[in-house]
Amino acid sequence: MEAVFCVIYLILTTVLGIVIIKKSEGRKNDRLFGIMTLTLVFGDSFHLVPRILAALNPAGDYHVSLGLGKMVTSITMTIFYLILYLIYEKRYNKECRNIRTAMIVLSVLRIALCLLPQNDWTGSDPLFYGILRNIPFTIMGIIMVVLFYKERKDRYYRFMWIAILLSFAFYLPVVLFSDVSPMIGMLMMPKTCMYVWMVVMGLKQVKNKG
């Protein structure tokens, strides 16, 4: 079931990203949403493809690929939210230098923490570093929830803040408790659905030139 879900997600999100770019018709912010979508699926593929292979071939050793894939996904997810903030700025014409600086600094900090060898991505992946690298990422998420909540009257993005909030609500328990109970890792599936929801919102807006 997990393998099927991952395959459908990767194909669907790739198609949606390409469609968004094609339908952007040169509109920079709409094209940026498509690029953001493809960045999402590009990063996720590094982690999900090994998971698919592991599900289809339980006897195979994909430990290293899964660990490195998780690192790449962590970095591209950071870029995803940074691009989403830039989309927010342009859509609502609200360029706040302080918030932009904060998002950039948090992004750089998050990526730097992800690259620390102490993370031991292909080994033990210590909980302490899992928490540490997710602190700036969570702050980025909080900022985006607040910003889109203020714009909740937007016809197309009125639920964006809910999708972001739920994605973190599903993601953080995995970071904190997946080692205690592997079943908690299943929360990554609804978390992934939240990202698809976000992409669909963008597609509707781009199709209607909203």
Side-chain angles (χ1 to χ4, degrees), residues 44-111:
D44 282 355
S45 65
F46 279 86
H47 180 58
L48 295 182
V49 170
R51 290 187 70 88
I52 294 169
L53 295 175
L56 298 176
N57 181 25
D61 184 6
Y62 300 97
H63 191 72
V64 173
S65 298
L66 286 167
L68 293 177
K70 187 177 177 182
M71 180 186 71
V72 173
T73 299
S74 298
I75 292 172
T76 53
M77 281 307 310
T78 308
I79 297 172
F80 173 90
Y81 276 105
L82 183 59
I83 296 176
L84 183 59
Y85 172 72
L86 297 177
I87 291 171
Y88 166 86
E89 269 195 352
K90 295 179 183 297
R91 179 165 181 79
Y92 302 110
N93 195 26
K94 293 185 177 181
E95 296 185 11
C96 179
R97 184 174 298 178
N98 291 337
I99 297 179
R100 177 185 284 196
T101 300
M103 290 293 289
I104 294 173
V105 170
L106 289 166
S107 298
V108 172
L109 179 58
R110 155 80 166 176
I111 293 172

Side-chain angles (χ1 to χ4, degrees), residues 114-130:
C114 287
L115 294 174
L116 288 176
Q118 290 88 342
N119 286 286
D120 193 16
W121 290 101
T122 59
S124 60
D125 189 8
L127 177 61
F128 173 77
Y129 285 94

